[in-house]
Amino acid sequence: MTLYDYITITFISVGAVIMLLSANRTKRILNMLPTNKLRGKWRGLSISMFVFFIGYLFVVLLVILGRSELLEFLSGIIFLLGSHFVFVVVSSGLDSFKKIKEINQNLSDTELKNKELERFAYVTSHDLKAPLRGIYSLASFIKADLEDGQTEEVQDHLNTLLKQVERLENLINGILHYSKIGKITVEAINLNLLVHEEYEKYQNLNNVKLEIQGTLPTINGDKTQISQLISNLLNNAIEYNDKKLCQITISSEEKPNFYEISFEDNGPGIPSKYHEKIFEVFQTLAHKDIHESTGIGLSIVKKIMDKHEGEVKVESDGKLGTKFIIVCSKKLK
């Protein structure tokens, strides 16, 4: 054997040891992978590495025996297997990274939902306690008046108590509506028909006028949820309008990847500092003595748009009129 043969044997032997160590290291990876499919791919890699190890030993043996013709043939096979091995490594690594990214995204979403749930529970408990405290106080007043034989104010107290009970019921119903917004069933929705269906509920009001500019598009989404969204926006525009004639204008604009649907009214407007707050649960700008509201309508609108991979925006100078813009993705499937 020549010096060249000894050097070749050394390189091949070191390569064999490295391949054997790599095959052993894949066992650690197998224990960390989240799915059987990924574990199967990496187990296949481990087997391939062991086959390479055996192949390297054969090459060393052929070099020692001087069988150059078999060496060339075996080298060709090893080269072919090596190319396939690199492809499998890249493919397995890519699938693993995708799965890890998906898991990390799910963890982030879960953390975000937990924070949202924690805040929702806090706000809900706070808002539910208010009417309960009112009911307790009024019941105490009624009890004290009856014990003292003073019945003059009992009727007023009872009427106020009933209003508090009604408010509590509305809050609970609002919570139920908000919590029921879950997975969506996507279908084609003709917004022209849906808007007219929702507006029929208000056609007996002489002080409300609806105008649809142009033709509204057909979008993809959950019909029940989009119907609820339109109903909430129309009701919001009508309930808080301070003009003799409530004017609501609905229009649309098509963009390359989405539609913008605008709901514009001539109401009092919303100051810019409240443009984010109005979409939070149980947040309302109107005084409860003027408008009895749960403050959950716009938070439902936002949650529905989040489920539809879109968004809701508000434009208003806080003096005259408000425009809510619904951004609907064309790629929703």
Side-chain angles (χ1 to χ4, degrees):
M1 291 176 58
T2 64
L3 178 62
Y4 174 79
D5 291 332
Y6 284 112
I7 294 175
T8 301
I9 291 173
T10 302
F11 284 150
I12 295 174
S13 299
V14 171
V17 172
I18 293 174
M19 191 61 70
L20 188 61
L21 291 174
S22 299
N24 185 59
R25 290 288 180 95
T26 56
K27 293 181 180 179
R28 299 183 185 180
I29 297 176
L30 288 175
N31 295 328
M32 299 170 61
L33 295 173
T35 66
N36 290 330
K37 183 179 179 181
L38 289 176
R39 282 193 287 271
K41 286 190 174 183
W42 284 92
R43 191 175 289 109
L45 283 177
S46 180
I47 294 172
S48 297
M49 292 175 190
F50 184 74
V51 170
F52 268 104
F53 172 74
I54 300 299
Y56 285 143
L57 294 183
F58 268 108
V59 170
V60 170
L61 180 62
L62 291 176
V63 170
I64 294 174
L65 296 176
R67 301 293 298 273
S68 58
E69 68 283 353
L70 289 177
L71 181 62
E72 291 177 0
F73 176 73
L74 186 58
S75 297
I77 293 177
I78 290 178
F79 179 79
L80 178 62
L81 291 175
S83 300
H84 178 262
F85 176 76
V86 171
F87 174 79
V88 174
V89 168
V90 174
S91 178
S92 301
L94 182 61
D95 289 342
S96 300
F97 283 127
K98 283 182 178 179
K99 190 63 181 179
I100 292 171
K101 183 179 179 181
E102 180 183 336
I103 291 172
N104 289 335
Q105 181 64 44
N106 290 336
L107 289 174
S108 299
D109 291 343
T110 302
E111 184 179 358
L112 184 63
K113 288 177 181 177
N114 287 338
K115 289 182 179 178
E116 180 186 352
L117 182 61
E118 183 179 348
R119 185 182 179 283
F120 179 75
Y122 171 78
V123 174
T124 301
S125 61
H126 178 272
D127 277 70
L128 288 178
K129 284 178 181 178
L132 283 174
R133 283 194 297 266
I135 291 171
Y136 179 82
S137 298
L138 288 165
S140 300
F141 294 155
I142 293 171
K143 182 175 180 292
D145 288 343
L146 291 175
E147 288 175 350
D148 295 339
Q150 300 176 2
T151 59
E152 296 84 2
E153 296 182 355
V154 169
Q155 188 64 42
D156 291 336
H157 288 330
L158 283 173
N159 290 334
T160 307
L161 187 147
L162 290 174
K163 289 181 180 178
Q164 291 291 335
V165 172
E166 183 181 359
R167 171 166 173 74
L168 183 61
E169 183 181 11
N170 290 335
L171 285 171
I172 293 172
N173 288 335
I175 294 170
L176 290 174
H177 286 311
Y178 186 86
S179 63
K180 285 181 180 178
I181 302 173
K183 293 183 178 180
I184 64 174
T185 302
V186 180
E187 60 179 299
I189 304 172
N190 187 323
L191 286 182
N192 289 283
L193 296 177
L194 200 59
V195 167
H196 280 100
E197 287 176 5
E198 292 300 323
Y199 181 62
E200 286 180 359
K201 303 174 184 177
Y202 307 98
Q203 284 187 340
N204 61 330
L205 301 177
N206 297 325
N207 62 331
V208 178
K209 181 182 178 182
L210 174 68
E211 178 187 357
I212 299 178
Q213 295 181 347
T215 302
L216 300 180
T218 295
I219 64 171
N220 293 325
D222 187 292
K223 188 174 181 180
T224 301
Q225 292 188 18
I226 296 299
S227 176
Q228 186 178 10
L229 178 148
I230 293 172
S231 177
N232 284 355
L233 289 176
L234 291 177
N235 183 71
N236 198 71
I238 294 170
E239 183 176 355
Y240 296 104
N241 199 286
D242 58 349
K243 308 298 187 298
K244 291 183 178 180
L245 178 64
C246 173
Q247 175 72 48
I248 304 174
T249 304
I250 303 178
S251 60
S252 66
E253 184 177 356
E254 183 175 2
K255 303 290 185 178
N257 298 319
F258 55 86
Y259 293 104
E260 286 189 348
I261 318 299
S262 299
F263 294 75
E264 188 171 4
D265 64 65
N266 63 336
I270 301 173
S272 58
K273 63 180 179 179
Y274 297 119
H275 285 185
E276 294 294 330
K277 182 180 179 180
I278 58 174
F279 294 110
E280 297 177 6
V281 179
F282 299 130
Q283 297 298 318
T284 177
L285 303 183
H287 196 279
K288 291 181 175 61
D289 294 336
I290 302 174
H291 292 285
E292 182 58 42
S293 171
T294 60
I296 203 169
L298 290 177
S299 62
I300 288 177
V301 169
K302 185 179 185 304
K303 188 173 182 180
I304 289 174
M305 290 314 302
D306 289 343
K307 292 289 183 181
H308 283 73
E309 301 174 14
E311 62 176 317
V312 54
K313 301 181 289 186
V314 59
E315 293 181 359
S316 177
D317 59 3
K319 298 177 181 178
L320 178 62
T322 303
K323 179 190 287 188
F324 287 97
I325 303 172
I326 306 300
V327 181
C328 302
S329 174
K330 292 181 179 180
K331 299 180 179 179
L332 185 66
K333 295 182 181 180

